[in-house]
Amino acid sequence: MTAAPLVRLAGVDKRFGAVRALAGVDLSVDTGACLGLVGHNGAGKSTLMAILAGVLAADHGEMHVAGQDVTHGHAVTQAHRLGLRCVFQELSLCPNLTVAENTRVLHRALDGWGWRRRAAALIRDRLDTIFPGHGIDPDDVTGDLSIGRRQMVEIARAFTVTDTPVRLVILDEPTSSLDAVVAGHLLAFVRRFVADGGSVILISHLLGEVLDTADRIVVMRDGRVVADRLATAFDRGRLVEAMGSVADDDVDGAAAAAAATPATGDRSMGGTPVVRAHPAGAGIGGLTLEAWQGEIVGLAGLGGHGQTAMLVRLFEAARHPGVVNAGAMVRLPAAFVAGDRQSDGVFPLWSIARNISIRSLSQLLWRGLIVRRAETELAETWRTRIGIRTPSVDHPILSLSGGNQQKALFARALASDAGVLLMDDPMRGVDVGTKQEVYGMLRAEAAKGRTIIWYTTEMDELKHCDHVYVFRAGAIVADLTRAAMTEDAVLHASFEARAA
Amino acid sequence: MTGSRPASALGRLALQPWLWAWLGALAVWLATIAFTRGQGAGEVLTAAFTFGTFFVIVAIGQMFVVTLGPGNVDLSIPATMTLAGTVAMKLMDGDNGMLAVGLLAALGCGLAVGVFNYGLIRLLAIPPIIATLSSSFLVQSTAIWTNRGLRIKPPSALADFATAKLGGLPALALCVIALAGVMHIVLTRTPYGRAVIAVGQNPRAARFAGVDVDRTRFVTYVQAALFAALCGFCLAGFSGGAALNMGEEYLLSSIAVVVIGGTSVAGGFANVPGLWGAALFLFLLVTMLNTFGLGAGIRLILTGLIIIAVIVIAGSSSRKREG
């Protein structure tokens, strides 16, 4: 860490129209070190990384990479040649190509006879090294993989080497779709990579993993760097403070608050559940999912073990409230909050307002026609309530940062008339402060009588649930009450089918 | 749809996707009357509205289909026009009293074709291009079998209405302008219109946002067939009877009008005013090249080149708007 920095940015400025995304940012990354980068949604982290990667050009400022001045004419190909690799929040794999073919996209050197075989060997080696037991075949078509596995491929691909060395890998929310075990593998690999002389920029809203993995942490707020210290100089509280978070980040406190508001429809009192479903792949064995009115029910387990499939089945069943459809019954209309927002959530050509209103059009009609003013009012209300960072809800949805797009999707569901909210790991890329606000909103919605079914890959979020069902290989293997819910119990059930 | 808000009204106008079709139509018309030194300026315009009307009717249906997203297009429009025109003319057999029955029969043909098309697409999972193309062969054969090539005259009331003029403009054109206005509202202000645009942008997201994707597609294909049937009925009334080749030029024109009008071929973005601009533009373009007295080969080449030019200009301006 005593050598000259690998990357040095000085006074970088970037504007998007009236929004100043970056205001004179200085940043340096040392060789053989992991730099943690944290900050709220829209703080400018992704913009800064896009400039470093050559995707965007800075308006002002200097850039040096590996001793070369790249202030002018920096572009993606040059960044690649200098050994910069990126894993962005919005995954960049081509869904119609196989994993091996996607590896070729990054590497011109993989040409001539047998390139497919060599590409497959290259990516398999990296996947095996970083994610042991990943279960991905290089011949798999990328679009058929779950979002967690796509993220694994994207990460492994960034670490493949052919003709140019890998010096610096930017990981933007790399663990957002990974369960705890896989995320642990990745972070351990990052430490090994750094120990061998590589550099990593790690962006994450999970402050714990940044504190554990990074050597140095940079905090950004409103397009500026507001803190830059050794990781050992921070703890969770100080990081949150530096980010300028208004919300209380005490998870246990939040969970206690959740416990203090008991579910309105108590299971012990009998009656009928709002949601009842038996996992499709489970046969007659395993447990049945039930949720009463006003409950928050968590779906846990390792990623891709049937949680999303369950949510989709519940969503389909909710089209006909009260009717049993292929073993699933939902008594009230449902709204779906997508976690994979690019493919399941966002309408890219529409404004923020239209993206929010699409689920609630029936409330905005007058004589069969949509009232534009009512639509704008609805969007404005939710922009304020959920804090979407934009000058106007008429702006395109794609003008928002990833986390803010996710907030718009939350607003879409919360604004609707749905009695059941189905959430598919929806906090990917959402910052700590917003998360706390959303948790609070979810509790309030549950208290008002909404039922929430929540698939999450984050252990902390399960603490907000009244009940947690652990999934394994498509079946429910454990039903944990709030009192019985511990990290150990969830992990134990995730790995052993007969547990609990 | 208003990404950056330009301050001036003129700036906002320049961002409208339908603007280029209208500018193109105006430019071509001015070039024509400059060549003739103003002679026949009004007549050319009347003719453009007369023939543009039929293009617009089918293009409205095609626009909704194209907006459903990549791969969605209705190639059975010409055959549906022919069948609807033929069946209606045969049924009415020149009798004014049967007018309503004939119209209903024509629309019934459209309904049947639309339901059949969507059945192929949904139940047999055939891509829309193949499904509508193959159904068009069946429909065309049915039309041939129905009247065996006889040309039956339309009832006089229908012929009179289809050729009537009100203050220089064809009565039918005025009706279709009103129809376009209604469909503009359907596209922009109703949940159905929003659903079509949502499905065209991202069908998975549309499903999860509570849109009934299947019903939206079904309604859209049926609607396209209904408009084709209506067009066949009116065109048969206008041109003195149904001919077996009456829909021929409407296959590619219906798509060209949609695209020149500023609707995205990739789906998820559409507008109605551009259809009228594009229909007038296409007719006036051919008229202009005829007026110049060019040979057939040169005419076709120029038609192609000018259409490409308009699409490129309109496309680049709409990319700026979205970016």
Side-chain angles (χ1 to χ4, degrees):
Chain A
M1 272 192 271
T2 47
L6 177 67
V7 170
R8 197 167 62 76
L9 305 180
V12 171
D13 249 55
K14 180 73 188 171
R15 277 177 181 283
F16 295 108
V19 180
R20 195 171 181 196
L22 294 176
V25 171
D26 300 331
L27 185 82
S28 70
V29 184
D30 297 318
T31 307
C34 175
L35 177 76
L37 185 56
V38 299
H40 287 307
N41 294 134
K45 307 181 299 285
S46 295
T47 307
L48 185 63
M49 291 305 109
I51 288 173
L52 184 54
V55 178
L56 293 174
D59 297 338
H60 297 287
E62 282 178 42
M63 272 170 79
H64 293 266
V65 177
Q68 290 188 42
D69 185 348
V70 293
T71 304
H72 300 289
H74 190 51
V76 177
T77 46
Q78 191 194 8
H80 186 85
R81 214 164 42 239
L82 290 170
L84 262 56
R85 303 291 175 78
C86 310
V87 178
F88 287 127
Q89 259 182 76
E90 312 294 345
L91 301 184
S92 67
L93 300 171
C94 303
N96 57 330
L97 300 183
T98 66
V99 172
E101 286 163 350
N102 266 301
T103 310
R104 163 65 184 80
V105 172
L106 197 65
H107 293 289
R108 253 157 211 259
L110 290 171
D111 61 358
W113 288 106
W115 65 264
R116 257 200 194 80
R117 193 172 35 76
R118 277 180 284 133
L122 188 67
I123 189 74
R124 187 183 293 120
D125 170 64
R126 286 291 88 182
L127 280 168
D128 289 347
T129 309
I130 306 173
F131 304 110
H134 50 78
I136 300 167
D137 188 316
D139 292 331
D140 287 342
V141 174
T142 312
D144 296 340
L145 300 175
S146 69
I147 184 168
R149 288 195 166 153
R150 269 183 280 151
Q151 197 164 22
M152 286 153 74
V153 171
E154 182 100 25
I155 293 166
R157 186 177 73 156
F159 285 98
T160 53
V161 180
T162 49
D163 51 348
T164 52
V166 178
R167 288 204 181 92
L168 169 69
V169 179
I170 298 168
L171 298 172
D172 192 351
E173 298 291 345
T175 62
S176 60
S177 304
L178 304 180
D179 60 57
V181 176
V182 177
H185 286 156
L186 171 64
L187 298 176
F189 173 78
V190 166
R191 289 312 310 169
R192 294 206 298 279
F193 179 72
V194 168
D196 291 343
S199 304
V200 169
I201 297 179
L202 176 65
I203 301 177
S204 179
H205 290 306
L206 300 176
L207 302 182
E209 66 184 38
V210 177
L211 284 166
D212 290 346
T213 312
D215 299 297
R216 200 156 56 81
I217 298 179
V218 167
V219 181
M220 287 186 72
R221 193 199 312 170
D222 299 330
R224 290 168 210 278
V225 170
V226 292
D228 182 350
R229 270 172 263 161
L230 288 177
T232 47
F234 282 111
D235 60 20
R236 203 184 167 86
R238 274 187 219 149
L239 261 187
V240 172
E241 196 183 326
M243 287 162 67
S245 185
V246 284
D248 177 16
D249 188 45
D250 183 356
V251 172
D252 292 330
T261 28
T264 48
D266 197 343
R267 305 189 163 215
S268 59
M269 287 168 54
T272 45
V274 175
V275 176
R276 189 184 163 86
H278 195 71
I284 48 167
L287 303 167
T288 298
L289 182 148
E290 287 184 339
W292 267 258
Q293 189 170 19
E295 270 188 335
I296 304 181
V297 169
L299 309 185
L302 301 179
H305 275 250
Q307 298 94 331
T308 301
M310 170 60 90
L311 290 176
V312 171
R313 275 182 67 224
L314 292 177
F315 181 75
E316 292 300 331
R319 283 179 184 279
H320 307 286
V323 179
V324 180
N325 177 3
M329 187 279 300
V330 180
R331 273 204 289 126
L332 297 169
F336 193 92
V337 184
D340 187 353
R341 59 178 166 268
Q342 274 181 103
S343 68
D344 297 349
V346 161
F347 296 106
L349 300 180
W350 266 351
S351 66
I352 299 159
R354 288 193 180 190
N355 265 285
I356 291 174
S357 70
I358 178 76
R359 179 64 182 74
S360 309
L361 294 179
S362 57
Q363 303 167 31
L364 306 172
L365 298 182
W366 183 77
R367 296 191 180 177
L369 296 183
I370 297 164
V371 182
R372 290 252 167 81
R373 214 181 50 221
E375 184 177 26
T376 309
E377 269 169 26
L378 178 88
E380 274 298 336
T381 309
W382 284 96
R383 177 176 81 110
T384 326
R385 276 186 70 176
I386 208 163
I388 300 171
R389 217 181 113 112
T390 177
S392 161
V393 291
D394 286 335
H395 283 202
I397 185 90
L398 295 186
S399 69
L400 296 179
S401 69
N404 276 297
Q405 288 178 29
Q406 194 66 51
K407 288 188 204 170
L409 296 186
F410 259 109
R412 181 194 290 170
L414 291 175
S416 77
D417 60 355
V420 177
L421 301 184
L422 304 168
M423 311 201 299
D424 182 20
D425 200 7
M427 299 293 184
R428 296 175 226 247
V430 176
D431 64 54
V432 177
T434 307
K435 272 183 187 170
Q436 296 302 327
E437 283 165 33
V438 173
Y439 297 154
M441 256 179 226
L442 292 175
R443 279 198 302 276
E445 294 295 327
K448 275 191 238 158
R450 274 181 164 167
T451 306
I452 298 167
I453 314 276
W454 186 358
Y455 165 43
T456 172
T457 49
E458 286 180 41
M459 202 61 74
D460 282 348
E461 295 184 346
L462 293 175
K463 292 177 181 156
H464 296 273
C465 300
D466 299 307
H467 252 266
V468 172
Y469 290 95
V470 183
F471 280 67
R472 186 172 184 281
I476 298 174
V477 293
D479 172 3
L480 305 172
T481 58
R482 182 196 297 282
M485 217 292 297
T486 61
E487 183 158 356
D488 277 349
V490 172
L491 281 177
H492 192 67
S494 304
F495 285 102
E496 287 191 39
R498 297 276 169 256
Chain B
M1 293 286 83
T2 48
S4 47
R5 269 174 193 278
S8 67
L10 199 67
R12 272 202 298 280
L13 182 70
L15 295 174
Q16 294 299 325
W18 44 261
L19 181 73
W20 298 101
W22 282 96
L23 283 183
L26 183 67
V28 173
W29 180 64
L30 289 177
T32 310
I33 60 172
F35 189 82
T36 62
R37 296 173 204 286
Q39 240 182 357
E43 286 87 338
V44 167
L45 217 49
T46 306
F49 272 97
T50 306
F51 290 96
T53 299
F54 300 108
F55 287 118
V56 170
I57 300 175
V58 289
I60 292 173
Q62 188 73 281
M63 181 193 76
F64 276 86
V65 171
V66 167
T67 305
L68 285 176
N72 282 291
V73 66
D74 185 354
L75 299 184
S76 67
I77 283 176
T80 311
M81 288 172 63
T82 310
L83 180 67
T86 315
V87 168
M89 292 311 127
K90 190 174 179 186
L91 207 61
M92 295 185 292
D93 200 18
D95 181 359
N96 280 336
M98 292 286 280
L99 208 51
V101 178
L103 179 60
L104 281 178
L107 294 178
C109 290
L111 183 69
V113 175
V115 171
F116 183 69
N117 277 344
Y118 194 69
L120 290 180
I121 295 168
R122 180 76 179 89
L123 301 178
L124 303 184
I126 303 174
I129 292 183
I130 310 294
T132 55
L133 185 64
S134 41
S135 89
S136 82
F137 287 114
L138 298 178
V139 173
Q140 184 75 18
S141 306
T142 315
I144 294 170
W145 171 80
T146 311
N147 84 335
R148 308 194 186 280
L150 291 173
R151 195 177 180 107
I152 304 167
K153 278 199 176 307
S156 58
L158 176 60
D160 290 347
F161 168 73
T163 49
K165 287 199 176 57
L166 281 172
L169 272 182
L172 197 55
L174 293 172
C175 292
V176 174
I177 289 171
L179 177 70
V182 171
M183 293 316 288
H184 173 70
I185 290 170
V186 168
L187 178 71
T188 55
R189 296 279 304 276
T190 66
Y192 163 72
R194 286 287 174 87
V196 171
I197 301 171
V199 170
Q201 292 179 65
N202 188 342
R204 269 180 73 84
R207 179 162 77 107
F208 286 129
V211 172
D212 190 336
V213 176
D214 276 330
R215 203 184 62 190
T216 304
R217 287 193 173 133
F218 173 74
V219 169
T220 305
Y221 275 93
V222 168
Q223 174 186 267
L226 284 175
F227 277 119
L230 179 68
C231 183
F233 182 80
C234 296
L235 187 59
F238 174 79
S239 52
L244 286 176
N245 64 348
M246 64 190 267
E248 225 167 52
E249 58 178 317
Y250 288 81
L251 177 59
L252 293 179
S253 309
S254 69
I255 300 170
V257 166
V258 170
V259 176
I260 296 171
T263 291
S264 165
V265 196
F269 181 74
N271 80 90
V272 175
L275 297 178
W276 260 112
L280 295 178
F281 169 73
L282 270 188
F283 180 86
L284 289 169
L285 178 62
V286 175
T287 310
M288 176 186 81
L289 296 175
N290 281 332
T291 314
F292 290 175
L294 299 171
I298 301 278
R299 265 198 335 252
L300 286 176
I301 291 172
L302 283 178
T303 309
L305 289 179
I306 293 173
I307 289 176
I308 291 171
V310 169
I311 291 177
V312 168
I313 295 170
S316 64
S317 80
S318 69
R319 265 196 297 283
K320 257 179 255 150
R321 177 180 43 78
E322 278 155 26

